Amino acid sequence: MQQIINFIIRNKNFLLFLLLFGISLFFTIQSHSYHKSKFINSANFLTGGVYNSVSNINGYFNLKSQNEILAEENNHLKNLLYNSNTKTDSIFLDTLATNDIYKFRTANIIRNSYSATDNMLLINRGSKDSIKEDFGVISSKGIIGIINKTSRNYATVISVLNTTIKISAQLKKTNHYGSLTWNGKDPAFAQLIDIQKIAPVTKGDTIVTTGMSSIFPKGIPVGVVDNFKLDNAENFYEINVKLFNDMTNLEHVYVIENSDKVEITNLLSGKTNE
């Protein structure tokens, strides 16, 4: 306290000058509208900059929660989109139907492999989230794979970059369909086989799912035709497909449940539910 008093005594002239200068500045601003507006604008600029910086910092730390919100919104939109496509493609359009065939759940990939021939992924959703074997997995860009096994909290996914998997896919513009496979080489490309040579294939054509299985709805993006050739028998095309997904850089995904899957599987296996 004594040091503060000594400082004031030593600098009393300078402090008095600052006080008088402040008072004169205050009266000048109050009595002149031009000076007053300039002062307010300057103050707003400074405080606005501070609040903007604080907002940017808060926004950075809230990215995770915002991403989760966006994922849930995308999930809702996918439910509307693919269920709408399914109902529109039906022979009889039931305007009273309220149950959606496809249900989407969000998940995060916590482990991913892409350099082996039998690549698998691990997601942070399991049986407690109603995830089951043979559910489809996609991202906002396109197809990822198929659920293989589940535990309570986690599930493994057979990646499209797995030489044992085959997925029904087609040329979007003509509906000619075949099987999507992977030759175990480049993780950026998959191969579409069994497309008959009468199909008009061109580079850049879009490849989508057919909806003929009980796993994926029709129209989920896969990739585009990069190049193609006829097989040795010259009956079918072998098409190299550039995948929409960067399979080496994945995070947020959606798990697809077909609520009619059991009924379809039972019917195809000869069982009926009367």
Side-chain angles (χ1 to χ4, degrees):
M1 186 64 182
Q2 185 63 41
Q3 292 180 349
I4 295 175
I5 295 174
N6 291 336
F7 173 80
I8 293 174
I9 293 174
R10 285 198 307 270
N11 299 279
K12 60 181 182 296
N13 293 331
F14 179 71
L15 294 175
L16 179 62
F17 167 76
L18 289 180
L19 176 63
L20 294 175
F21 177 77
I23 293 172
S24 62
L25 186 63
F26 172 77
F27 283 115
T28 300
I29 292 172
Q30 287 295 320
S31 58
H32 295 81
S33 58
Y34 174 78
H35 294 87
K36 186 175 182 178
S37 64
K38 286 294 184 182
F39 176 77
I40 292 173
N41 289 336
S42 299
N44 287 341
F45 174 78
L46 292 174
T47 56
V50 172
Y51 283 125
N52 185 56
S53 299
V54 173
S55 176
N56 289 337
I57 293 172
N58 289 335
Y60 176 80
F61 287 107
N62 288 330
L63 281 177
K64 182 177 180 180
S65 61
Q66 291 301 317
N67 284 336
E68 291 175 351
I69 292 171
L70 289 174
E72 289 295 338
E73 290 178 349
N74 286 334
N75 193 41
H76 176 66
L77 291 174
K78 288 182 185 297
N79 274 292
L80 295 175
L81 173 64
Y82 290 110
N83 284 295
S84 174
N85 288 341
T86 302
K87 291 173 183 177
T88 303
D89 290 341
S90 299
I91 297 176
F92 299 104
L93 182 61
D94 183 3
T95 57
L96 298 178
T98 57
N99 295 326
D100 292 333
I101 295 176
Y102 294 102
K103 298 178 181 178
F104 291 75
R105 297 177 178 86
T106 59
N108 290 331
I109 291 177
I110 57 178
R111 186 178 181 276
N112 181 18
S113 67
Y114 47 84
S115 57
T117 58
D118 54 350
N119 294 298
M120 305 286 287
L121 304 95
L122 183 67
I123 61 173
N124 64 341
R125 294 287 185 269
S127 57
K128 71 177 179 60
D129 306 296
S130 300
I131 304 300
K132 297 180 181 178
E133 181 181 340
D134 289 338
F135 282 11
V137 181
I138 65 172
S139 75
S140 58
K141 293 183 178 180
I143 194 168
I144 297 291
I146 300 173
I147 297 292
N148 180 37
K149 295 180 180 178
T150 63
S151 65
R152 175 172 172 76
N153 298 300
Y154 303 97
T156 56
V157 181
I158 304 176
S159 171
V160 293
L161 303 182
N162 191 308
T163 55
T164 65
I165 195 175
K166 285 188 177 182
I167 296 170
S168 181
Q170 67 181 33
L171 295 165
K172 183 178 181 180
K173 70 177 183 180
T174 66
N175 291 335
H176 287 89
Y177 64 90
S179 297
L180 187 76
T181 64
W182 188 55
N183 60 14
K185 296 179 180 178
D186 193 333
F189 295 89
Q191 288 68 48
L192 183 61
I193 60 175
D194 298 334
I195 298 289
Q196 294 193 3
K197 66 178 181 180
I198 61 172
V201 182
T202 57
K203 184 175 180 179
D205 285 347
T206 300
I207 307 300
V208 297
T209 54
T210 64
M212 293 182 182
S213 73
S214 59
I215 298 176
F216 295 104
K218 182 178 180 179
I220 292 181
V222 175
V224 295
V225 174
D226 184 72
N227 57 73
F228 56 92
K229 65 179 181 179
L230 287 171
D231 62 16
N232 293 330
E234 296 192 347
N235 292 321
F236 300 95
Y237 283 113
E238 295 176 354
I239 301 174
N240 208 34
V241 180
K242 178 71 168 65
L243 298 172
F244 286 130
N245 273 311
D246 178 359
M247 296 298 294
T248 68
N249 183 21
L250 300 171
E251 185 176 1
H252 302 293
V253 295
Y254 304 91
V255 181
I256 308 172
E257 175 188 358
N258 183 345
S259 58
D260 289 346
K261 177 177 172 56
V262 174
E263 181 180 348
I264 294 171
T265 303
N266 287 341
L267 184 61
L268 292 176
S269 64
K271 299 178 183 178
T272 57
N273 295 321
E274 298 290 337

